[in-house]
């Protein structure tokens, strides 16, 4: 059994969202990938580095004219239907100016904040007398003094600073008062609930769809109680993505000329998250870490599936040996080819293909395609090109004998570990199916008489015809595998067998395509040779 070394990793990445790139903090754990929007850049000392940000004084971010520039992800904006910032900077809801009387039931609170050695107060403000607005806290920076007080929140109006009344202060006066307040600051504040939704960015990341789960956006209206606020000022816009049976890939659904992209596809096959790393080595590192954690969850997936199927009385109740996402090559109009994600499952006897992860019995019993392992052959495993090259796709190819002929499939994998795993499981699965099934029987015609050809994994070939009595049979020929000198087919309906006997080459009319029988013969022979130790 494989021993998995799971990876924990975190860092800043770009998320493709609504045709724009948004900076997110990515945190990888054993079972999840968490994406948090508007992540602050962490400085060497572990605090939020605000020293290089324009318009920042001592941790206080001030915006002239009462308006906030957009902070955080591209494409995010403030406001809601029926609300706007006027050209003069005044904030209105409908036609009503925001004033300290807007939330009359809210209590006035005194909050003591102690500034840190670096980082300052850690708030951003909006408003002022010239904008017909009180001085409002529009943002609280994580980890800084205001955040650590756990007593302030976005939407608080600052009434005074260290006893200095700001009720009629202009924006610049408020900035100066806060800037000169010293290390210990006593703020008199009052929460104005009506403005809070306008200061919060839409929950873009939280609303990412994933695996049929309806997104749950954080409440943008703030706390509903009218007393001292709970510490919910920094509700994160984040998405927690379960890794179980996700499909991580590169260069699959969108071009990646810089080799910086990672694609994560949901188990239901409907959604894709695209992440951009700072460079190619970083992308490789993130891909490897996520791939490792997804692969480490495979034993859980197999146990869950086999538990579900074990409680079912359906004929499809076969132990699942291996399952995972691949990219199957499909032919498009005009002769072009492209890859599409597909789930492949290996049971004791079959190869099953699905468009999405079959978590339910109903889904499991309805695969898109089914191929018997006994009639399937692995014909290629390695580089997609004739000679291995840097960046070339890793693929394996299968051929299945059907009554209509040979059905070929080409599957792309993401890593050498994937390629090795699938190659081994397919070959071993074919041999195990041969030992499990042991015998196939085909009605056919030989020299104008109806016969039955039976091929047994241990005993070889037996050709019989019906006897004179009811239910009786007469054995015409019986040969072990080692007597077979030649076999072949015409690709239409005839099977040729030559055992070196006096009857010469036998031509059996199978009344349909001979390929299933030919492939079964190959599987029996391959399994026997491997069992004898003649093939590594």
């Amino acid at each position: 059994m494989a021993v998995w070394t799971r990876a924990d990793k975190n860092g800043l990445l770009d998320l493709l969202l609504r045709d724009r790139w948004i900076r997110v903090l990515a945190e990888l754990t054993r079972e999840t990938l968490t994406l948090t929007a508007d992540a602050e850049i962490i400085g060497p000392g572990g605090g939020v580095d605000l020293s290089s940000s324009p318009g920042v004084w001592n941790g206080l971010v001030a915006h002239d004219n009462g308006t906030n520039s957009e902070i955080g992800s591209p494409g995010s904006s403030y406001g809601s239907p029926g609300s706007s910032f006027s050209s003069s900077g005044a904030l209105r809801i409908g036609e009503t100016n925001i004033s300290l009387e807007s939330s009359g039931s809210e209590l006035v609170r005194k909050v003591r904040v102690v500034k840190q050695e670096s980082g300052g107060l850690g708030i951003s403000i909006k408003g002022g007398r010239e904008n017909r607005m009180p001085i409002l806290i529009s943002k609280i920076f994580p980890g800084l003094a205001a955040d650590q007080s756990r007593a302030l929140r976005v939407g608080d109006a600052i009434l005074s600073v260290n006893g200095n009344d700001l009720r009629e202060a202009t924006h610049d006066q408020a900035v100066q008062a806060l800037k000169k307040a010293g290390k210990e600051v006593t703020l008199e504040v009052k929460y104005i609930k009506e403005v809070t939704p306008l200061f919060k960015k839409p929950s873009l990341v939280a609303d990412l769809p994933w695996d049929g789960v309806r997104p749950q956006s954080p409440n943008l209206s703030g706390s509903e109680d009218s007393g001292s606020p709970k510490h919910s000022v920094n509700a994160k816009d984040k998405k927690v993505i379960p890794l179980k049976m996700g499909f991580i890939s590169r260069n699959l659904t969108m071009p990646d000329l810089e080799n910086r992209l990672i694609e994560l596809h949901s188990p239901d096959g409907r959604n894709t998250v695209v992440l951009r790393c700072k460079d190619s080595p970083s992308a490789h590192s993130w891909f490897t870490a996520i791939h490792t954690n997804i692969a480490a969850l495979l034993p859980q997936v197999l146990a869950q599936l086999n538990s579900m199927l074990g409680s079912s009385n359906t004929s499809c109740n076969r132990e699942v040996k291996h399952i995972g996402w691949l990219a199957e090559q499909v032919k498009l109009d005009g002769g072009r080819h492209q890859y599409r994600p597909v789930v492949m499952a290996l049971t004791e006897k079959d190869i099953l293909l699905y468009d999405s992860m079959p978590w339910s019995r109903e889904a499991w019993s309805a695969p898109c395609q089914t191929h018997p392992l006994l009639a399937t052959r692995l014909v290629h495993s390695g580089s997609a090109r004739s000679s291995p090259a840097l960046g070339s796709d890793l693929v394996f190819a299968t051929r299945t004998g059907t009554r209509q002929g040979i059905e070929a499939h080409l599957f792309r994998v993401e890593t050498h570990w994937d390629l090795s795993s699938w190659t081994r499981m397919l070959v071993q699965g074919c041999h195990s199916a041969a030992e499990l099934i042991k015998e196939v029987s085909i009605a056919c015609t030989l020299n104008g008489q109806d016969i039955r050809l039976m091929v047994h994994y241990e005993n070889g070939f037996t050709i019989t015809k019906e006897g004179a009595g009811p239910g009786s049979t007469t054995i015409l020929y019986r040969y072990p595998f080692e007597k077979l000198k030649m076999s072949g087919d015409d690709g239409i309906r005839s099977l040729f067998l030559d055992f070196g006997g006096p009857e010469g080459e036998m031509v059996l009319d199978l009344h349909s395509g001979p390929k299933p029988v030919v492939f079964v013969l190959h599987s029996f022979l391959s399994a026997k040779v491997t069992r004898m130790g003649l093939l590594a």
Side-chain angles (χ1 to χ4, degrees), residues 200-514:
K200 290 182 177 283
K201 295 188 293 293
S203 296
L204 300 175
V205 175
D207 287 340
L208 276 174
W210 186 260
D211 201 25
V213 178
R214 184 177 180 181
Q216 298 292 326
S217 300
N219 184 5
L220 299 185
S221 62
S223 174
E224 293 300 324
D225 60 71
S226 58
S228 298
K230 297 179 180 179
H231 187 66
S232 58
V233 296
N234 289 310
K236 298 292 186 180
D237 178 16
K238 69 180 180 180
K239 183 73 175 183
V240 179
I241 299 176
L243 295 178
K244 185 185 292 185
M245 280 311 293
F247 178 31
I248 185 169
S249 64
R250 304 192 66 184
N251 286 289
L252 183 58
T253 62
M254 65 182 302
D256 183 14
L257 300 180
E258 296 180 333
N259 201 28
R260 298 168 55 194
L261 303 184
I262 296 172
E263 302 174 21
L264 188 57
H265 307 268
S266 62
D268 64 4
R270 298 178 181 178
N271 304 293
T272 300
V273 171
V274 180
L275 298 169
R276 185 175 66 183
C277 304
K278 65 178 181 179
D279 51 33
S280 180
S282 176
H284 176 74
S285 175
W286 271 103
F287 173 86
T288 302
I290 298 174
H291 180 276
T292 297
N293 288 11
I294 291 176
L297 294 171
L298 181 59
Q300 293 184 27
V301 175
L302 291 174
Q304 182 176 343
L305 285 175
N306 285 316
S307 175
M308 174 191 70
L309 297 175
S311 61
S312 170
N313 295 321
T314 62
S315 60
C316 66
N317 182 11
R318 298 289 182 185
E319 183 182 0
V320 186
K321 298 293 187 179
H322 195 56
I323 192 169
W325 283 95
L326 302 167
E328 182 185 13
Q329 188 182 81
V330 294
K331 189 174 183 179
L332 305 177
D333 295 338
R336 295 184 300 110
H337 292 86
Q338 75 173 25
Y339 288 105
R340 69 176 183 90
V342 62
V343 175
M344 176 182 285
L346 301 182
T347 67
E348 294 173 317
K349 294 183 178 181
D350 296 309
I351 300 173
L352 307 174
L353 299 179
Y354 300 88
D355 287 332
S356 60
M357 181 59 197
W359 291 118
S360 67
R361 296 179 192 173
E362 292 75 16
W364 179 264
S365 62
C368 300
Q369 298 183 55
T370 302
H371 302 297
L373 274 168
L374 200 57
T376 299
R377 186 184 309 172
L378 180 71
V379 295
H380 175 78
S381 176
S383 172
R385 302 177 184 176
S386 56
S387 60
L390 183 64
S392 62
D393 291 334
L394 296 174
V395 300
F396 67 86
T398 63
R399 291 182 181 179
T400 302
T402 71
R403 294 183 181 277
Q404 292 73 38
I406 296 176
E407 187 172 323
H409 293 269
L410 182 70
F411 299 96
R412 194 192 90 175
V413 298
E414 297 299 318
T415 69
H416 287 279
W417 181 86
D418 293 330
L419 185 64
S420 174
S421 297
W422 281 108
T423 299
R424 182 179 67 256
M425 295 301 298
L426 282 167
V427 173
Q428 291 178 352
C430 176
H431 295 167
S432 297
E435 296 181 5
L436 179 66
I437 296 172
K438 288 193 179 299
E439 184 180 71
V440 295
S441 177
I442 309 103
C444 51
T445 301
L446 174 64
N447 299 327
Q449 62 177 334
D450 293 333
I451 64 164
R452 180 163 291 276
L453 170 66
M454 290 176 287
V455 185
H456 192 279
Y457 173 67
E458 300 285 356
N459 303 327
F461 300 85
T462 303
I463 297 177
T464 65
K465 69 173 183 178
E466 292 186 2
S472 64
T473 58
T474 300
I475 296 176
L476 300 179
Y477 305 99
R478 175 174 285 167
Y479 290 105
F481 278 104
E482 54 265 27
K483 290 292 186 179
L484 183 63
K485 305 299 181 182
M486 186 277 296
S487 67
D489 68 276
D490 65 355
I492 303 174
R493 57 188 294 168
S494 297
L495 175 67
F496 309 118
L497 297 175
D498 187 351
F499 298 97
E503 71 281 354
E505 181 183 81
M506 290 186 283
V507 182
L508 289 79
D509 185 351
L510 303 183
H511 310 299
S512 63

Side-chain angles (χ1 to χ4, degrees), residues 128-265:
R129 185 180 63 194
E130 70 274 29
N131 302 306
R132 290 173 290 174
M133 295 168 56
I135 302 300
L136 298 166
I137 297 177
S138 60
K139 183 171 183 178
I140 298 177
F141 292 92
L144 295 186
D147 181 43
Q148 292 180 348
S149 75
R150 307 190 68 81
L152 294 173
R153 61 166 144 174
V154 171
D156 274 339
I158 301 177
L159 309 182
S160 70
V161 178
N162 290 343
N164 183 10
D165 196 315
L166 297 186
R167 286 175 173 84
E168 297 296 326
T170 65
H171 188 85
D172 288 340
Q173 288 172 343
V175 169
Q176 293 303 316
L178 289 165
K179 184 178 178 182
K180 298 175 182 178
K183 182 177 177 63
E184 294 188 10
V185 184
T186 300
L187 300 177
E188 193 176 21
V189 297
K190 179 179 180 180
Y191 180 60
I192 301 181
K193 182 168 59 178
E194 290 83 355
V195 304
T196 305
L198 307 182
F199 292 152
K200 290 182 177 283
K201 295 188 293 293
S203 296
L204 300 175
V205 175
D207 287 340
L208 276 174
W210 186 260
D211 201 25
V213 178
R214 184 177 180 181
Q216 298 292 326
S217 300
N219 184 5
L220 299 185
S221 62
S223 174
E224 293 300 324
D225 60 71
S226 58
S228 298
K230 297 179 180 179
H231 187 66
S232 58
V233 296
N234 289 310
K236 298 292 186 180
D237 178 16
K238 69 180 180 180
K239 183 73 175 183
V240 179
I241 299 176
L243 295 178
K244 185 185 292 185
M245 280 311 293
F247 178 31
I248 185 169
S249 64
R250 304 192 66 184
N251 286 289
L252 183 58
T253 62
M254 65 182 302
D256 183 14
L257 300 180
E258 296 180 333
N259 201 28
R260 298 168 55 194
L261 303 184
I262 296 172
E263 302 174 21
L264 188 57
H265 307 268

